Amino acid sequence: MQAKDSNPPDGGYGWVVVVSAFMVMGLTAAVLKTFGLFFVEIQQHFDELASTTSWITSVTIAIFHLGAPVASSLCVRYTHRAVVITGGLLAFAGMALGFLGLNMVWMYATTGFLQGLGISFSWTPAISIVSHYFSKKRALANAIASAGECAFAFTFGPFFQWLISQYGWKGALLIIGGIQLNICVCGVLMRPLASSCLLEACHSETETPPGNGASGINKEDKSPVTHKTFNWMLVRRPEFVLYAIFGILAAMSFFVPPLFLVPLSYSLGIDESWTASLLSILALVDFAGRLLCGWYANLHVTKTVHLLTMTITLISTSLMLLPLANNYLSLAIFTGFYGFFFGTTVAVHITVLADVVGMPDFDSALGLFMLIRSTGGFVGPPLAGLIVDMAGDYRAGFYMAGATLVLSAGFLVTLDQLQQRKEKGSQTNIKPEKSTLPYSSLHLLKLQ
């Protein structure tokens, strides 16, 4: 009975969880992605530099990542459902208090810190519980859940622009906060999977003798939920360290284009209504990229780390070309390329993390990865803002993001080479054992 309860169902109520996670992604990551619409409004209201204003997004991204290990630990102590509901309340509080708009420090504390913590407490458990409900279809389920970010961002672009025009940026923040309360409803639908058996399964695994390798493999196949304590020792594994460095560099780049795309379009003289449509295009092609890449990754035709390296290279290329746009049409085309390849990257990067560390350590790895990656998200937007202020041109931020992604791809290549060496080494160690068997048999026959 225990094994049956611990098995991920790979369907059934799991699809309800996927839909709930889909909604959570839209109400958290999509809001963060379209926050660039508020950038110019807040900058003009407080009469601050681009680098100073960008710290709002920087704080949000940093707390989003820093809160991931805390969220993972709370999921272990309580449930994914309880943490998601808490995250929804925090996200609402961040936007509702940001409505007051007292000063820039206040914005850092509300739409920065509280909103980031709310996103972390909602996003992390939502991604985690999907992996618990699915095994064979995990890549596809994660791709569908993450696509909620794009589906919502597609409508949030023009919707937020309309809210700002009708109610001002402060009123828009309050309304968006109210919408984010729906995260709590999604959390209620995230029913714990075999909650009565998880602790028993963990204890039975702890009592398994270390030498019994077959039993360990069997448990991993049956359920991805095997470790209920946070494994900080992952930082001593070279593969994880390389992937974490990739995450830092990628985070430095990923949040820059959505932040400066709107100001760049304004600098080119593009109308506000057309500018909002750029974010919708970005979301639409992002959505297509995630679903297509999730489906392709599920076929297991290409090694996931190879697929990720290719998509990162294509993103960096599109970012280097995007600043060449000089009108709406060319800007929309390059934005489309960037959005599609970004979507393919997001669809597989969590799957690559699972491949690097294995499912038993996935929860700990996800929390640690988000924690380490937070440094990139914290430094990236202000650094790009500083470069923009020095160059006096928003194009400089895109060049910085593209160059950083090229560097991150190098660490993926190094990771792949390290994994290949270990695979060859394990095969070499097995071969002598097989080759000595015929010799031993012949030697015994001669003695007889």
Side-chain angles (χ1 to χ4, degrees):
M1 183 69 180
Q2 180 177 323
K4 181 179 179 182
D5 289 342
S6 297
N7 259 336
D10 259 320
Y13 193 80
W15 293 117
V16 176
V17 174
V18 169
V19 173
S20 299
F22 179 93
M23 298 288 291
V24 171
M25 297 301 106
L27 295 171
T28 55
V31 172
L32 180 58
K33 179 178 286 188
T34 53
F35 196 77
L37 289 168
F38 292 87
F39 184 88
V40 175
E41 300 290 335
I42 295 175
Q43 182 183 7
Q44 291 177 352
H45 178 82
F46 292 107
D47 192 23
E48 295 285 355
L49 295 172
S51 56
T52 304
T53 309
S54 63
W55 275 104
I56 298 175
T57 303
S58 179
V59 171
T60 307
I61 296 168
I63 299 302
F64 166 39
H65 290 81
L66 288 170
V70 180
S72 297
S73 300
L74 289 175
C75 286
V76 172
R77 184 173 178 83
Y78 302 102
T79 61
H80 294 81
R81 171 186 286 170
V83 180
V84 171
I85 292 173
T86 304
L89 295 174
L90 287 170
F92 163 73
M95 287 297 194
L97 292 174
F99 161 77
L100 299 176
L102 302 180
N103 50 51
M104 192 60 74
V105 175
W106 179 262
M107 299 305 295
Y108 295 157
T110 56
T111 57
F113 181 83
L114 283 179
Q115 179 68 197
L117 196 61
I119 291 175
S120 183
F121 277 32
S122 306
W123 187 94
T124 309
I127 285 293
S128 177
I129 197 170
V130 169
S131 295
H132 293 335
Y133 263 90
F134 289 86
S135 178
K136 295 179 181 178
K137 300 176 183 177
R138 184 175 295 129
L140 182 61
N142 279 325
I144 294 174
S146 69
E149 173 186 338
C150 318
F152 277 74
F154 178 74
T155 56
F156 277 176
F159 178 56
F160 286 3
Q161 188 73 60
W162 179 80
L163 286 177
I164 293 172
S165 64
Q166 294 294 317
Y167 304 100
W169 67 269
K170 292 184 179 181
L173 287 181
L174 183 61
I175 295 173
I176 293 168
I179 295 173
Q180 285 183 308
L181 280 174
N182 287 287
I183 294 173
C184 300
V185 179
C186 297
V188 172
L189 294 173
M190 292 180 178
R191 188 169 66 195
L193 177 63
S195 58
S196 60
C197 301
L198 291 179
L199 191 57
E200 295 175 13
C202 182
H203 284 319
S204 63
E205 183 192 16
T206 306
E207 292 167 3
T208 302
N212 195 347
S215 175
I217 296 173
N218 199 27
K219 283 185 178 292
E220 183 179 346
D221 291 340
K222 284 184 177 181
S223 173
V225 189
T226 53
H227 286 276
K228 301 304 290 179
T229 56
F230 207 86
N231 184 9
W232 293 95
M233 291 299 100
L234 285 170
V235 295
R236 302 177 65 178
R237 292 173 57 174
E239 298 93 334
F240 178 77
V241 172
L242 287 171
Y243 197 69
I245 295 175
F246 153 75
I248 293 172
L249 296 172
M252 287 180 63
S253 308
F254 284 163
F255 296 100
V256 171
L259 185 62
F260 292 114
L261 182 61
V262 172
L264 175 63
S265 65
Y266 287 161
S267 68
L268 295 175
I270 299 174
D271 187 73
E272 290 184 1
S273 58
W274 287 105
T275 297
S277 70
L278 287 175
L279 297 178
S280 297
I281 292 172
L282 186 64
L284 184 63
V285 294
D286 188 349
F287 180 83
R290 294 187 193 215
L291 293 184
L292 182 62
C293 193
W295 167 79
Y296 179 77
N298 222 45
L299 298 177
H300 304 289
V301 176
T302 306
K303 193 175 179 181
T304 52
V305 68
H306 294 168
L307 187 59
L308 181 60
T309 305
M310 181 177 66
T311 59
I312 287 294
T313 304
L314 291 172
I315 290 179
S316 61
T317 303
S318 63
L319 284 177
M320 293 292 192
L321 294 175
L322 192 145
L324 299 179
N326 54 10
N327 54 47
Y328 173 80
L329 181 60
S330 58
L331 187 61
I333 292 173
F334 288 128
T335 298
F337 279 117
Y338 161 74
F340 181 82
F341 295 131
F342 177 81
T344 58
T345 298
V346 174
V348 295
H349 84 286
I350 294 295
T351 305
V352 174
L353 177 62
D355 293 341
V356 169
V357 301
M359 268 316 293
D361 287 319
F362 174 72
D363 285 336
S364 298
L366 180 60
L368 270 176
F369 180 72
M370 296 291 290
L371 175 64
I372 297 171
R373 196 177 72 168
S374 65
T375 56
F378 188 72
V379 172
L383 178 61
L386 179 62
I387 293 174
V388 167
D389 288 336
M390 292 174 62
D393 192 342
Y394 287 107
R395 293 181 176 88
F398 292 90
Y399 288 128
M400 168 261 177
T404 307
L405 279 178
V406 171
L407 183 60
S408 72
F411 285 92
L412 288 179
V413 173
T414 306
L415 169 63
D416 180 49
Q417 291 178 346
L418 179 61
Q419 288 180 321
Q420 289 182 9
R421 288 177 185 175
K422 288 196 171 185
E423 288 174 3
K424 290 179 181 179
S426 62
Q427 291 174 0
T428 305
N429 292 334
I430 293 174
K431 285 181 180 179
E433 295 178 3
K434 292 182 178 179
S435 62
T436 56
L437 183 59
Y439 171 79
S440 300
S441 301
L442 289 172
H443 185 64
L444 289 172
L445 288 172
K446 288 180 180 179
L447 289 176
Q448 290 177 352

